[in-house]
Each structure stands twice: as structure tokens, then as C-alpha cells.
Amino acid sequence: MATNAQIKFLDLPNGKKLAYEKVNGSSAHPTVMFVPGFMSGKDGDKPKHLREYCMKKSYTFIRYDPTCIGDSLGDWTSLEFQDWVENAGSVLENLGSTENIVIGSSMGGWISLWLASQEKYKEKIQEPDGHRSSCQFHSLPFMSVT
């Protein structure tokens, strides 16, 4: 599936940069934003297929790599879950429109729902969609390793 992606970088308040792609569509539709799951980014099959669908239907589409994933650099030794939550919020705030459909896969589903529950973002989110939100994400296997 050829994408001809135009990858850009979003400057974050902490000085880091997030790699993203924004494909513009009709302003008559809400913007579709994909929030990737744990250890996933903008180049997986789900965001690629969603991108193609949005292009066919003339929806604006945003996909990105969270900190330390894909083209977004970072330091694994200081990375926290909160960084990925803030990444999603920054993408929504800076690249989204006034009406957005936020689709998250696995962990990204939980992040999408959290964003929709926050006063700062809930007016911008027309519809959150937690695609296959991982129900056991709160107890990852490596968390019990001593």
C-alpha cells in the first residue's frame, strides 16, 4: 500500500518533536486522529488502512509516532506513560480541528477515552473510539517482574 506520506514534526513544550502526517480533507467532515497502541506508531497497518479510507471519503486524517517510537526520538530511560498521554493531547490541540473523531487502538483507546473526559479536550472530540482497547493494559506482565 503506497502512501506517499509527508512526514512533519510537531514541536512539543518540553523541546522534543513528534513525527506526524496530516492528510487534508474536506472541512465539512470532522478530522480523524489515530492514537497508536503500546509500542506502535503511525506506520502500522491500522493507521495506514484508516488513512486510505479517510482519503477516499475526504476526511482530514492525522497519525503520529509517540515519543521513542518510529521517527519520534526520545530517551527510554526517562519515558513515562504520561508522556504518551501528553503526546496525544498535543497532537489533538495543535493539529486537530474544532470537531475530531479520535480513534485509539489498544492502549491508544484508553488514551482516547481519557482525552474525551478532560475539560480541556472534550469540546474538540466529537466521538472517541477505543478500537480493541486492551482490558488488561493496567496489569502488564513486566510490571510484576522483580
Side-chain angles (χ1 to χ4, degrees), residues 3-56:
T3 62
N4 298 322
Q6 297 280 333
I7 305 305
K8 297 181 181 175
F9 290 88
L10 174 64
D11 293 321
L12 300 176
N14 62 8
K16 295 180 182 172
K17 296 176 183 290
L18 288 185
Y20 74 92
E21 180 195 28
K22 182 175 183 178
V23 178
N24 291 313
S26 170
S27 61
H29 300 302
T31 297
V32 175
M33 176 179 144
F34 182 79
V35 181
F38 185 66
M39 300 298 290
S40 299
K42 66 179 172 16
D43 296 325
D45 288 340
K46 290 174 195 167
K48 285 181 181 178
H49 287 288
L50 188 55
R51 177 189 189 271
E52 293 302 315
Y53 176 83
C54 287
M55 289 176 68
K56 286 179 188 173

Side-chain angles (χ1 to χ4, degrees), residues 38 79-87 107 110-111 137:
F38 185 66
L79 181 71
E80 297 181 2
F81 176 73
Q82 184 64 30
D83 293 320
W84 286 342
V85 172
E86 290 171 2
N87 289 170
M107 179 189 76
W110 290 108
I111 292 173
F137 180 71

Side-chain angles (χ1 to χ4, degrees), residues 10 12 18 22 31-35 62 64 85-103 111-112 114-118 120-127:
L10 174 64
L12 300 176
L18 288 185
K22 182 175 183 178
T31 297
V32 175
M33 176 179 144
F34 182 79
V35 181
I62 303 166
Y64 69 96
V85 172
E86 290 171 2
N87 289 170
S90 293
V91 170
L92 177 62
E93 195 168 13
N94 293 289
L95 303 174
S97 61
T98 56
E99 294 183 358
N100 302 275
I101 298 172
V102 182
I103 300 174
I111 292 173
S112 298
W114 183 86
L115 289 175
S117 74
Q118 301 304 299
K120 181 177 183 179
Y121 303 115
K122 69 180 180 181
E123 293 299 320
K124 294 186 84 159
I125 299 176
Q126 184 175 353
E127 185 174 330

Side-chain angles (χ1 to χ4, degrees), residues 46 104-107 129-135:
K46 290 174 195 167
S105 176
S106 189
M107 179 189 76
D129 179 3
H131 179 72
R132 293 189 157 189
S133 298
S134 179
C135 60

